[in-house]
């Protein structure tokens, strides 16, 4: 399990151990997930006004929007996991 914080872009970080999934926002189910989270006050917008390029889902069921590509965040997540010897 990764430790520490995952850089999700533009000076924003999320606890790496709390990340459940990093997904592409283009599909209809992901759009519904975003709208449901917004309606239930579980949405955190960390895009800094830029286009949403990935959605991060946490173990607390919060949905975080990021302006960084899902592939880039996945690579950062894996690199952090390797740095901590997991």
């Amino acid at each position: 399990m990764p430790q520490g914080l995952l850089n999700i872009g533009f000076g924003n970080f999320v606890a790496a151990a709390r990340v459940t999934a990093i997904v592409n926002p283009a599909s209809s189910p992901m759009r519904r997930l975003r709208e449901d989270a917004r309606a239930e006050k579980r949405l955190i917008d960390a895009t800094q006004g830029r286009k949403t390029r990935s959605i991060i889902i946490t173990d607390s069921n919060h949905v975080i929007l990021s302006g960084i590509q899902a592939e880039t965040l996945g690579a950062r997540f894996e690199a952090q996991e390797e740095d901590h010897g997991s």
Side-chain angles (χ1 to χ4, degrees):
M1 180 79 53
Q3 301 295 316
L5 299 174
L6 175 66
N7 182 347
I8 60 170
F10 313 113
N12 299 299
F13 296 84
V14 65
R18 306 293 303 263
V19 173
T20 303
I22 302 171
V23 296
N24 189 316
S27 69
S28 292
M30 291 304 108
R31 288 189 206 120
R32 267 193 306 278
L33 176 75
R34 181 190 329 189
E35 293 310 313
D36 291 347
R38 178 173 283 133
E40 297 171 11
K41 308 284 191 230
R42 295 182 291 112
L43 184 72
I44 300 168
D45 187 349
T47 61
Q48 302 298 124
R50 292 169 175 86
K51 180 179 176 182
T52 300
R53 298 189 187 275
S54 63
I55 298 176
I56 302 160
I57 304 167
T58 66
D59 61 353
S60 62
N61 211 23
H62 282 84
V63 175
I64 304 168
L65 306 180
S66 175
I68 304 295
Q69 292 284 350
E71 293 83 9
T72 303
L73 291 178
R76 290 178 185 178
F77 190 80
E78 286 179 356
Q80 186 172 5
E81 195 172 44
E82 289 172 6
D83 287 347
H84 290 293
S86 295

